[in-house]
Amino acid sequence: MTATVFTQLEQSLLQSLQVPAPPDADEALPLSPERPVRSLGVQHGILVLELLPEALVRVARGLRDDFGFDLFLDVTAVDWPDRTPRFDVVYHFYSTTHHVRIRLKVRVHQAADATAPDVRPEVETLTGLYGSAGYMERECHDMYGIVFRGNADLRPILLYEGFVGHPLRKDYPKQQEQPLVPYRPPQSALVR
Amino acid sequence: MYGKQLPIVDVTRPAPAGASAGSATPGKHATFEYLTTRKDELVGWARKFSLFPYPFVTACCAMEFMAVSASNYDTDRFGAALPRFSPRQADLLMVVGTVTQKQAPILLKVYEQMCEPKWVMAFGVCATSGGFYQNYASLPGIDRIIPVDIYVPGCPPRPEMVIDGIMRLQEKIANGRHPIINDRF
């Protein structure tokens, strides 16, 4: 049942995005704004689309308006420290009418220029389409340092002001603490 | 039994053979005429049976705290019955669950609002040592920021462990010093 839903969805998505053929067949063709889908498949029962970042907002709007994906479930990131586009930004959407999920992946560079280390990984915000994206983009910015272009409020939401670094990046030392209250010297509980 | 026996001597009754507890004449009235005890033991005895806990509940150990407060295990038997919902009215701070670095200033403020005398119980392995969390987010034991009197490990601790912790804390209170005017004022 779900497989047929996926097949129909896949066909209509391919038609809607005007992709000439399943992109897995001809990987050699360069990706372009007209051909933004890097790969398309079903993983663990979820339809997965990997996109160019330029097409993200367009595809998300199409999914929301034409395919009924009306619920923004989550946005998170994956850090691949040795890969050249270092981050995957991963979106999940859910259709409350069709009861299916879809996952979008976008590859984001750590920096556009290696000589400028301050250049930040950026991707377009989805707050214009889904109001709930604001909070989850704040969390993703906390944890991975992804900058969502157009999201005006990227204050820390789970971390606190003054926290240095992004703790879910692979290069953050996993036991490094940044205490807000200075630690007291160790004392025995038997002596008071 | 635990702790010490009640350190009050009833001098209206005849002293047992071998003991020389005063030279009282028995049976004049059926009431106490006078008591002898030490101030620290009397105050400690009074304080150990009137613990007013303030539950600082942050995580899943709260379920076990509810179990230990409810009728099956019933901390009322130990005088620690009524959770106060203001730290200013409490003298036992029960830190139940994981405390994050972001929440550490709140815990410190709650502790500083409590009046002396006050005791702290670290409830569960996260509050005692951070447990299996050793990362950017969680505080590795609340004794990094406030003094702790009794540690109850376990993830979560059984209610029996908590009751044992309360009894050991009572023992500690009963055997401790209780300055009426301490060095802080």
mmCIF file with all atom_site columns, all heavy atoms in Angstrom, chain B residues 42-55:
data_model
loop_
_atom_site.group_PDB
_atom_site.id
_atom_site.type_symbol
_atom_site.label_atom_id
_atom_site.label_alt_id
_atom_site.label_comp_id
_atom_site.label_asym_id
_atom_site.label_entity_id
_atom_site.label_seq_id
_atom_site.pdbx_PDB_ins_code
_atom_site.Cartn_x
_atom_site.Cartn_y
_atom_site.Cartn_z
_atom_site.occupancy
_atom_site.B_iso_or_equiv
_atom_site.pdbx_formal_charge
_atom_site.auth_seq_id
_atom_site.auth_comp_id
_atom_site.auth_asym_id
_atom_site.auth_atom_id
_atom_site.pdbx_PDB_model_num
ATOM 1   N N   . LEU B 1 42 ? 18.768 16.575 71.760 1.00 0.00 ? 42 LEU B N   1
ATOM 2   C CA  . LEU B 1 42 ? 17.348 16.949 71.757 1.00 0.00 ? 42 LEU B CA  1
ATOM 3   C C   . LEU B 1 42 ? 16.974 17.654 70.470 1.00 0.00 ? 42 LEU B C   1
ATOM 4   O O   . LEU B 1 42 ? 15.978 17.314 69.808 1.00 0.00 ? 42 LEU B O   1
ATOM 5   C CB  . LEU B 1 42 ? 17.059 17.857 72.957 1.00 0.00 ? 42 LEU B CB  1
ATOM 6   C CG  . LEU B 1 42 ? 15.605 18.300 73.072 1.00 0.00 ? 42 LEU B CG  1
ATOM 7   C CD1 . LEU B 1 42 ? 14.717 17.108 73.370 1.00 0.00 ? 42 LEU B CD1 1
ATOM 8   C CD2 . LEU B 1 42 ? 15.440 19.357 74.135 1.00 0.00 ? 42 LEU B CD2 1
ATOM 9   N N   . VAL B 1 43 ? 17.794 18.623 70.068 1.00 0.00 ? 43 VAL B N   1
ATOM 10  C CA  . VAL B 1 43 ? 17.481 19.360 68.842 1.00 0.00 ? 43 VAL B CA  1
ATOM 11  C C   . VAL B 1 43 ? 17.578 18.441 67.631 1.00 0.00 ? 43 VAL B C   1
ATOM 12  O O   . VAL B 1 43 ? 16.740 18.472 66.723 1.00 0.00 ? 43 VAL B O   1
ATOM 13  C CB  . VAL B 1 43 ? 18.412 20.576 68.716 1.00 0.00 ? 43 VAL B CB  1
ATOM 14  C CG1 . VAL B 1 43 ? 18.163 21.297 67.413 1.00 0.00 ? 43 VAL B CG1 1
ATOM 15  C CG2 . VAL B 1 43 ? 18.193 21.526 69.873 1.00 0.00 ? 43 VAL B CG2 1
ATOM 16  N N   . GLY B 1 44 ? 18.594 17.561 67.638 1.00 0.00 ? 44 GLY B N   1
ATOM 17  C CA  . GLY B 1 44 ? 18.731 16.632 66.517 1.00 0.00 ? 44 GLY B CA  1
ATOM 18  C C   . GLY B 1 44 ? 17.566 15.670 66.448 1.00 0.00 ? 44 GLY B C   1
ATOM 19  O O   . GLY B 1 44 ? 17.073 15.375 65.356 1.00 0.00 ? 44 GLY B O   1
ATOM 20  N N   . TRP B 1 45 ? 17.105 15.197 67.598 1.00 0.00 ? 45 TRP B N   1
ATOM 21  C CA  . TRP B 1 45 ? 15.950 14.305 67.611 1.00 0.00 ? 45 TRP B CA  1
ATOM 22  C C   . TRP B 1 45 ? 14.717 15.015 67.062 1.00 0.00 ? 45 TRP B C   1
ATOM 23  O O   . TRP B 1 45 ? 13.921 14.460 66.321 1.00 0.00 ? 45 TRP B O   1
ATOM 24  C CB  . TRP B 1 45 ? 15.729 13.831 69.042 1.00 0.00 ? 45 TRP B CB  1
ATOM 25  C CG  . TRP B 1 45 ? 14.466 13.045 69.244 1.00 0.00 ? 45 TRP B CG  1
ATOM 26  C CD1 . TRP B 1 45 ? 14.280 11.737 68.936 1.00 0.00 ? 45 TRP B CD1 1
ATOM 27  C CD2 . TRP B 1 45 ? 13.236 13.536 69.749 1.00 0.00 ? 45 TRP B CD2 1
ATOM 28  N NE1 . TRP B 1 45 ? 13.005 11.369 69.232 1.00 0.00 ? 45 TRP B NE1 1
ATOM 29  C CE2 . TRP B 1 45 ? 12.334 12.444 69.734 1.00 0.00 ? 45 TRP B CE2 1
ATOM 30  C CE3 . TRP B 1 45 ? 12.802 14.774 70.233 1.00 0.00 ? 45 TRP B CE3 1
ATOM 31  C CZ2 . TRP B 1 45 ? 11.032 12.569 70.178 1.00 0.00 ? 45 TRP B CZ2 1
ATOM 32  C CZ3 . TRP B 1 45 ? 11.504 14.893 70.680 1.00 0.00 ? 45 TRP B CZ3 1
ATOM 33  C CH2 . TRP B 1 45 ? 10.623 13.798 70.650 1.00 0.00 ? 45 TRP B CH2 1
ATOM 34  N N   . ALA B 1 46 ? 14.554 16.285 67.445 1.00 0.00 ? 46 ALA B N   1
ATOM 35  C CA  . ALA B 1 46 ? 13.387 17.025 66.957 1.00 0.00 ? 46 ALA B CA  1
ATOM 36  C C   . ALA B 1 46 ? 13.497 17.277 65.458 1.00 0.00 ? 46 ALA B C   1
ATOM 37  O O   . ALA B 1 46 ? 12.530 17.153 64.708 1.00 0.00 ? 46 ALA B O   1
ATOM 38  C CB  . ALA B 1 46 ? 13.264 18.355 67.695 1.00 0.00 ? 46 ALA B CB  1
ATOM 39  N N   . ARG B 1 47 ? 14.697 17.600 65.016 1.00 0.00 ? 47 ARG B N   1
ATOM 40  C CA  . ARG B 1 47 ? 14.839 17.988 63.606 1.00 0.00 ? 47 ARG B CA  1
ATOM 41  C C   . ARG B 1 47 ? 14.753 16.797 62.682 1.00 0.00 ? 47 ARG B C   1
ATOM 42  O O   . ARG B 1 47 ? 14.264 16.909 61.571 1.00 0.00 ? 47 ARG B O   1
ATOM 43  C CB  . ARG B 1 47 ? 16.183 18.693 63.409 1.00 0.00 ? 47 ARG B CB  1
ATOM 44  C CG  . ARG B 1 47 ? 16.125 20.139 63.857 1.00 0.00 ? 47 ARG B CG  1
ATOM 45  C CD  . ARG B 1 47 ? 17.435 20.827 63.674 1.00 0.00 ? 47 ARG B CD  1
ATOM 46  N NE  . ARG B 1 47 ? 17.306 22.242 64.006 1.00 0.00 ? 47 ARG B NE  1
ATOM 47  C CZ  . ARG B 1 47 ? 18.324 23.055 64.175 1.00 0.00 ? 47 ARG B CZ  1
ATOM 48  N NH1 . ARG B 1 47 ? 19.551 22.612 64.053 1.00 0.00 ? 47 ARG B NH1 1
ATOM 49  N NH2 . ARG B 1 47 ? 18.125 24.331 64.461 1.00 0.00 ? 47 ARG B NH2 1
ATOM 50  N N   . LYS B 1 48 ? 15.209 15.632 63.140 1.00 0.00 ? 48 LYS B N   1
ATOM 51  C CA  . LYS B 1 48 ? 15.265 14.520 62.201 1.00 0.00 ? 48 LYS B CA  1
ATOM 52  C C   . LYS B 1 48 ? 13.881 13.974 61.880 1.00 0.00 ? 48 LYS B C   1
ATOM 53  O O   . LYS B 1 48 ? 13.719 13.314 60.873 1.00 0.00 ? 48 LYS B O   1
ATOM 54  C CB  . LYS B 1 48 ? 16.161 13.411 62.743 1.00 0.00 ? 48 LYS B CB  1
ATOM 55  C CG  . LYS B 1 48 ? 15.515 12.514 63.780 1.00 0.00 ? 48 LYS B CG  1
ATOM 56  C CD  . LYS B 1 48 ? 16.440 11.362 64.102 1.00 0.00 ? 48 LYS B CD  1
ATOM 57  C CE  . LYS B 1 48 ? 15.784 10.392 65.037 1.00 0.00 ? 48 LYS B CE  1
ATOM 58  N NZ  . LYS B 1 48 ? 16.654 9.268  65.367 1.00 0.00 ? 48 LYS B NZ  1
ATOM 59  N N   . PHE B 1 49 ? 12.891 14.241 62.707 1.00 0.00 ? 49 PHE B N   1
ATOM 60  C CA  . PHE B 1 49 ? 11.547 13.767 62.411 1.00 0.00 ? 49 PHE B CA  1
ATOM 61  C C   . PHE B 1 49 ? 10.652 14.863 61.842 1.00 0.00 ? 49 PHE B C   1
ATOM 62  O O   . PHE B 1 49 ? 9.448  14.681 61.765 1.00 0.00 ? 49 PHE B O   1
ATOM 63  C CB  . PHE B 1 49 ? 10.904 13.190 63.670 1.00 0.00 ? 49 PHE B CB  1
ATOM 64  C CG  . PHE B 1 49 ? 11.490 11.873 64.055 1.00 0.00 ? 49 PHE B CG  1
ATOM 65  C CD1 . PHE B 1 49 ? 12.061 11.693 65.287 1.00 0.00 ? 49 PHE B CD1 1
ATOM 66  C CD2 . PHE B 1 49 ? 11.476 10.819 63.160 1.00 0.00 ? 49 PHE B CD2 1
ATOM 67  C CE1 . PHE B 1 49 ? 12.605 10.483 65.640 1.00 0.00 ? 49 PHE B CE1 1
ATOM 68  C CE2 . PHE B 1 49 ? 12.018 9.607  63.510 1.00 0.00 ? 49 PHE B CE2 1
ATOM 69  C CZ  . PHE B 1 49 ? 12.592 9.434  64.747 1.00 0.00 ? 49 PHE B CZ  1
ATOM 70  N N   . SER B 1 50 ? 11.207 15.989 61.479 1.00 0.00 ? 50 SER B N   1
ATOM 71  C CA  . SER B 1 50 ? 10.370 17.014 60.850 1.00 0.00 ? 50 SER B CA  1
ATOM 72  C C   . SER B 1 50 ? 11.081 17.575 59.632 1.00 0.00 ? 50 SER B C   1
ATOM 73  O O   . SER B 1 50 ? 11.229 18.779 59.506 1.00 0.00 ? 50 SER B O   1
ATOM 74  C CB  . SER B 1 50 ? 10.030 18.124 61.832 1.00 0.00 ? 50 SER B CB  1
ATOM 75  O OG  . SER B 1 50 ? 11.175 18.880 62.101 1.00 0.00 ? 50 SER B OG  1
ATOM 76  N N   . LEU B 1 51 ? 11.515 16.668 58.753 1.00 0.00 ? 51 LEU B N   1
ATOM 77  C CA  . LEU B 1 51 ? 12.134 17.128 57.513 1.00 0.00 ? 51 LEU B CA  1
ATOM 78  C C   . LEU B 1 51 ? 11.055 17.655 56.586 1.00 0.00 ? 51 LEU B C   1
ATOM 79  O O   . LEU B 1 51 ? 10.059 16.980 56.333 1.00 0.00 ? 51 LEU B O   1
ATOM 80  C CB  . LEU B 1 51 ? 12.877 15.968 56.840 1.00 0.00 ? 51 LEU B CB  1
ATOM 81  C CG  . LEU B 1 51 ? 14.128 15.489 57.549 1.00 0.00 ? 51 LEU B CG  1
ATOM 82  C CD1 . LEU B 1 51 ? 14.604 14.214 56.915 1.00 0.00 ? 51 LEU B CD1 1
ATOM 83  C CD2 . LEU B 1 51 ? 15.195 16.550 57.445 1.00 0.00 ? 51 LEU B CD2 1
ATOM 84  N N   . PHE B 1 52 ? 11.270 18.835 56.068 1.00 0.00 ? 52 PHE B N   1
ATOM 85  C CA  . PHE B 1 52 ? 10.351 19.391 55.091 1.00 0.00 ? 52 PHE B CA  1
ATOM 86  C C   . PHE B 1 52 ? 11.065 19.391 53.752 1.00 0.00 ? 52 PHE B C   1
ATOM 87  O O   . PHE B 1 52 ? 11.907 20.247 53.507 1.00 0.00 ? 52 PHE B O   1
ATOM 88  C CB  . PHE B 1 52 ? 9.938  20.818 55.479 1.00 0.00 ? 52 PHE B CB  1
ATOM 89  C CG  . PHE B 1 52 ? 8.863  20.859 56.521 1.00 0.00 ? 52 PHE B CG  1
ATOM 90  C CD1 . PHE B 1 52 ? 9.039  20.268 57.745 1.00 0.00 ? 52 PHE B CD1 1
ATOM 91  C CD2 . PHE B 1 52 ? 7.662  21.488 56.257 1.00 0.00 ? 52 PHE B CD2 1
ATOM 92  C CE1 . PHE B 1 52 ? 8.054  20.302 58.703 1.00 0.00 ? 52 PHE B CE1 1
ATOM 93  C CE2 . PHE B 1 52 ? 6.662  21.526 57.214 1.00 0.00 ? 52 PHE B CE2 1
ATOM 94  C CZ  . PHE B 1 52 ? 6.853  20.934 58.436 1.00 0.00 ? 52 PHE B CZ  1
ATOM 95  N N   . PRO B 1 53 ? 10.786 18.440 52.899 1.00 0.00 ? 53 PRO B N   1
ATOM 96  C CA  . PRO B 1 53 ? 11.546 18.367 51.650 1.00 0.00 ? 53 PRO B CA  1
ATOM 97  C C   . PRO B 1 53 ? 11.039 19.361 50.613 1.00 0.00 ? 53 PRO B C   1
ATOM 98  O O   . PRO B 1 53 ? 9.848  19.672 50.547 1.00 0.00 ? 53 PRO B O   1
ATOM 99  C CB  . PRO B 1 53 ? 11.326 16.928 51.185 1.00 0.00 ? 53 PRO B CB  1
ATOM 100 C CG  . PRO B 1 53 ? 10.045 16.532 51.798 1.00 0.00 ? 53 PRO B CG  1
ATOM 101 C CD  . PRO B 1 53 ? 9.882  17.310 53.059 1.00 0.00 ? 53 PRO B CD  1
ATOM 102 N N   . TYR B 1 54 ? 11.991 19.843 49.836 1.00 0.00 ? 54 TYR B N   1
ATOM 103 C CA  . TYR B 1 54 ? 11.652 20.619 48.643 1.00 0.00 ? 54 TYR B CA  1
ATOM 104 C C   . TYR B 1 54 ? 12.129 19.813 47.451 1.00 0.00 ? 54 TYR B C   1
ATOM 105 O O   . TYR B 1 54 ? 13.331 19.654 47.253 1.00 0.00 ? 54 TYR B O   1
ATOM 106 C CB  . TYR B 1 54 ? 12.351 21.983 48.655 1.00 0.00 ? 54 TYR B CB  1
ATOM 107 C CG  . TYR B 1 54 ? 12.132 22.761 47.385 1.00 0.00 ? 54 TYR B CG  1
ATOM 108 C CD1 . TYR B 1 54 ? 10.929 23.392 47.137 1.00 0.00 ? 54 TYR B CD1 1
ATOM 109 C CD2 . TYR B 1 54 ? 13.124 22.844 46.410 1.00 0.00 ? 54 TYR B CD2 1
ATOM 110 C CE1 . TYR B 1 54 ? 10.718 24.079 45.969 1.00 0.00 ? 54 TYR B CE1 1
ATOM 111 C CE2 . TYR B 1 54 ? 12.916 23.538 45.239 1.00 0.00 ? 54 TYR B CE2 1
ATOM 112 C CZ  . TYR B 1 54 ? 11.713 24.143 45.030 1.00 0.00 ? 54 TYR B CZ  1
ATOM 113 O OH  . TYR B 1 54 ? 11.501 24.816 43.854 1.00 0.00 ? 54 TYR B OH  1
ATOM 114 N N   . PRO B 1 55 ? 11.248 19.261 46.650 1.00 0.00 ? 55 PRO B N   1
ATOM 115 C CA  . PRO B 1 55 ? 11.693 18.468 45.504 1.00 0.00 ? 55 PRO B CA  1
ATOM 116 C C   . PRO B 1 55 ? 12.074 19.365 44.330 1.00 0.00 ? 55 PRO B C   1
ATOM 117 O O   . PRO B 1 55 ? 11.249 20.105 43.810 1.00 0.00 ? 55 PRO B O   1
ATOM 118 C CB  . PRO B 1 55 ? 10.475 17.600 45.184 1.00 0.00 ? 55 PRO B CB  1
ATOM 119 C CG  . PRO B 1 55 ? 9.319  18.327 45.737 1.00 0.00 ? 55 PRO B CG  1
ATOM 120 C CD  . PRO B 1 55 ? 9.794  19.219 46.828 1.00 0.00 ? 55 PRO B CD  1
#
